[in-house]
Structures are given as C-alpha cells and as structure tokens.
Amino acid sequence: MEGIGAKEVIFEVVSALCTVGLSLGITAEVGTISQIILILLMFIGRVGGITILIAFGNRISSIPSKLPAEKIAVG
C-alpha cells in the first residue's frame, strides 16, 4: 500500500511475526494502518498463534468435571 517493494514488506512481516528484532528501517515510512498491522503481528508472534486461538475460541465443555471423592489416610 505504501509503494514499498515486495521483498522489503515480506522481510518486515516475517521479522515482526517471528519477533526477530530486525528491520530495514521502513517502519517509520509506512502509514498508521501498516504500523498497527506490524504491531499486531509482533503481538501474535510473541504470544503465539495457538494461544490466541485457544483464548478467543469457543469454550464448550462436553464433560463436566468433578472433584474426586476419596478419603486420604494421613499419619
């Protein structure tokens, strides 16, 4: 969207997603929307995609859990 080459954009996106910490210095040149996308990619890379899917996924519990009923001998 910003008139930057595909190689540079792919490098920035992969670097943000993998939380490598490398940059070509074009982050300051891109617009606000692109910076927000890079921030979200960095967050997803740091937390983990599966963790985010589990956190925002449906929490359907088909089997109710119960505490065990057992007397424990102490002493």
Side-chain angles (χ1 to χ4, degrees):
M1 292 189 293
E2 314 293 335
I4 300 172
K7 286 182 182 179
E8 290 84 7
V9 171
I10 291 172
F11 182 85
E12 290 288 328
V13 167
V14 170
S15 176
L17 190 59
C18 297
T19 61
V20 176
L22 298 176
S23 178
L24 296 175
I26 62 173
T27 307
E29 299 173 10
V30 297
T32 306
I33 302 276
S34 299
Q35 288 179 349
I36 291 172
I37 291 171
L38 285 173
I39 290 169
L40 290 174
L41 287 173
M42 288 180 205
F43 181 75
I44 291 170
R46 179 70 178 145
V47 174
I50 294 175
T51 306
I52 290 176
L53 288 175
I54 290 172
F56 294 116
N58 291 335
R59 297 180 184 197
I60 299 172
S61 177
S62 59
I63 302 172
S65 59
K66 297 187 295 184
L67 293 175
E70 183 70 28
K71 300 225 179 215
I72 299 174
V74 178

